[in-house]
Amino acid sequence: MATTSGSAVFFAAVALALALLAAPVRAQETPSIADGGATVEFPAGVTFTVSAESSVEITDIRLRYTVLPDGTAAIGQPEFDPSTSVEATFELAGNNPPQIYLSPGTRIEYHWEVSDAEGNQATSEIASVFYDDTRFDWQTVSGSNITIYYYSGSDHEAEAMHDVAREAVSSMSSLLDTEVEFETLIWIYDNTDDMRPALQARSETYESQVITAGVRVASDTVLVLGNDAFDTLRHELTHIVTAQAGESAFGTLPAWVDEGTAVYSQEDAGGFRSAIEDAIDRGEVFSVREISSYPGDPDKVNLFYGQSWSLVSYLIDEYGEEQFAQLFAEVKSGSRIESALEAVYGFGQDGLEDEWRAAKGLPPRPTNAPDGPDPQDDPQPLPSEDDGGSSTLLVIGLAVGVIALAAVVGIGGIWAARKAP
């Protein structure tokens, strides 16, 4: 019987170990990424470019991006042919509601992720792109956390708008006991043809009926038509302040509170005042519950804004600014408008309507008046396509009644749009 000595076994083990060490071992290689940057093609959108290489076939490329300040994180997957060396592009649409709408001033943060066939992954550094309206040569006036963008008119006009913006944000922040600590962007357009591509795309019917004079397109951005549209600017900037003071993940302002406060900020209520005065004379006004959301009838737009302004004015004049600010705080904390009114004023929507009607010389509220949304239901906003919350100041066109511009002091009817996801 054959035997093996201990020394022979030892030398065999050593030989095997040396052989294993001498065998080539392929290291795990991380794919390399080269971010090709982003190209703004306003209003079409943004094109992102990337190239990547790996020792084995690249099988997956993803663009992770966040639309700031209001958007959520999303993923884009470009089409490409798997290979060890690839180039790819991803096109992010700029105006494709309700999926996405990018307003001038939008910031997009992004990075690329690449994976190969063996599961090796690589991630590029975070980069950002500023989505501006590349059709024009924009000039700026900045200060006090407010930046004016303009391409027409004089520097003096832009500075005057900047002064009005500072005063509006300051006064309304004081009224609502809040602070706007972030940078506010204001884009001023010279005419409707220039401004229309920057707005959310809407139906041809809508476009034929209204002209947009101002709109809050994000929590920090407004668009304004005209270099001297001071009341339009005050109105839209107030929406930035009202959102800061009264809206959160827990609470949303009813339409009459938000828009009534915006009109209250104007130096001249214009056609809105006339609309509510005429309606009071006729005895044909909304119930408070009806205007928790925006009217679907364009012919009622001026009355909606006028009555919203009248209700807000009544609360401030009768009960003071401090309690009005408390109403916003209650809503922001999660209270529905019914309980918020009761907590601050001791009455709900019906009680407010009764007091307001009496103050305006109207008979008691009809018991068969339309109730509108239930007081415990969230107010339903007007459908909108933008990423940020917005409110649109509109001049109602000839197709909806030939409303004279002079009657509304250059502002006309306002159409409102709330914040979309």
Side-chain angles (χ1 to χ4, degrees):
M1 183 173 61
T3 62
T4 303
S5 67
S7 60
V9 172
F10 171 77
F11 285 116
V14 170
L16 177 61
L18 292 174
L20 291 173
L21 290 173
V25 177
R26 185 166 59 85
Q28 295 290 320
E29 295 183 4
T30 301
S32 62
I33 304 176
D35 178 7
T39 303
V40 174
E41 299 172 353
F42 191 93
V46 184
T47 300
F48 299 88
T49 304
V50 67
S51 59
E53 294 184 354
S54 182
S55 58
V56 295
E57 192 174 77
I58 292 173
T59 56
D60 186 63
I61 298 177
R62 300 188 180 197
L63 175 73
R64 292 189 179 270
Y65 64 93
T66 303
V67 178
L68 301 174
D70 304 313
T72 56
I75 298 175
Q77 291 186 279
E79 296 182 357
F80 69 99
D81 294 325
S83 175
T84 56
S85 178
V86 299
E87 291 186 358
T89 60
F90 178 78
E91 296 181 0
L92 180 63
N95 206 338
N96 185 28
Q99 285 79 16
I100 191 170
Y101 161 68
L102 303 177
S103 68
T106 296
R107 285 97 64 202
I108 303 172
E109 288 188 350
Y110 71 94
H111 69 270
W112 293 96
E113 294 179 352
V114 173
S115 301
D116 65 23
E118 293 188 352
N120 302 313
Q121 296 182 338
T123 302
S124 68
E125 294 184 357
I126 295 177
S128 64
V129 57
F130 184 73
Y131 186 71
D132 65 342
D133 190 338
T134 53
R135 296 173 300 159
F136 306 108
D137 182 17
W138 296 93
Q139 307 297 313
T140 61
V141 175
S142 297
S144 302
N145 262 357
I146 296 173
T147 297
I148 297 274
Y149 291 86
Y150 66 102
Y151 62 89
S152 66
S154 66
D155 295 343
H156 176 74
E157 289 173 322
E159 290 167 358
M161 288 285 276
H162 190 266
D163 290 341
V164 170
R166 287 189 302 163
E167 186 276 331
V169 171
S170 176
S171 62
M172 299 312 295
S173 296
S174 177
L175 171 67
L176 301 181
D177 192 24
T178 191
E179 292 185 17
V180 178
E181 298 179 340
F182 48 81
E183 183 82 3
T184 299
L185 310 180
I186 302 163
W187 299 75
I188 301 176
Y189 284 86
D190 181 61
N191 56 69
T192 55
D193 289 339
D194 286 353
M195 187 172 178
R196 187 171 287 112
L199 301 171
Q200 299 175 35
R202 301 180 187 272
S203 67
E204 291 184 6
T205 301
Y206 183 95
E207 294 290 352
S208 68
Q209 292 179 342
V210 296
I211 297 173
T212 302
V215 55
R216 179 177 70 93
V217 292
S219 62
D220 65 351
T221 305
V222 301
L223 312 184
V224 176
L225 182 63
N227 296 301
D228 58 355
F230 299 134
D231 262 351
T232 302
L233 181 59
R234 291 185 182 97
H235 184 110
E236 299 306 334
L237 287 176
T238 297
H239 284 305
I240 288 181
V241 182
T242 57
Q244 183 73 6
E247 300 206 349
S248 68
F250 308 103
T252 301
L253 294 168
W256 69 265
V257 175
D258 190 18
E259 296 297 346
T261 308
V263 179
Y264 183 84
S265 72
Q266 299 174 202
E267 288 193 347
D268 186 356
F272 308 137
R273 182 193 297 273
S274 301
I276 185 57
E277 289 177 350
D278 291 345
I280 290 173
D281 290 342
R282 298 191 309 269
E284 299 175 357
V285 298
F286 293 116
S287 72
V288 173
R289 295 174 186 271
E290 283 183 281
I291 52 177
S292 289
S293 57
Y294 297 88
D297 184 352
D299 291 332
K300 297 180 179 179
V301 168
N302 270 13
L303 175 56
F304 161 74
Y305 282 96
Q307 187 168 340
S308 299
W309 162 73
S310 185
L311 287 166
V312 166
S313 298
Y314 175 79
L315 287 176
I316 295 174
D317 294 343
E318 188 70 19
Y319 295 97
E321 295 183 357
E322 183 176 348
Q323 284 183 264
F324 190 65
Q326 290 173 3
L327 179 65
F328 278 73
E330 284 287 330
V331 174
K332 186 170 186 174
S333 68
S335 296
R336 307 289 175 86
I337 187 59
E338 184 76 5
S339 56
L341 284 167
E342 290 175 348
V344 176
Y345 297 105
F347 51 71
Q349 295 171 98
D350 294 341
L352 169 60
E353 185 174 342
D354 290 340
E355 286 198 12
W356 176 80
R357 290 180 69 94
K360 299 302 179 182
L362 290 169
R365 174 174 50 91
T367 56
N368 62 346
D371 287 338
D374 185 87
Q376 293 305 313
D377 289 340
D378 285 322
Q380 298 300 311
L382 185 73
S384 170
E385 299 90 347
D386 68 318
D387 288 326
S390 70
S391 165
T392 307
L393 191 63
L394 300 173
V395 181
I396 303 303
L398 293 178
V400 295
V402 196
I403 300 174
L405 292 179
V408 294
V409 194
I411 300 175
I414 296 179
W415 193 269
R418 304 288 295 175
K419 182 165 61 178

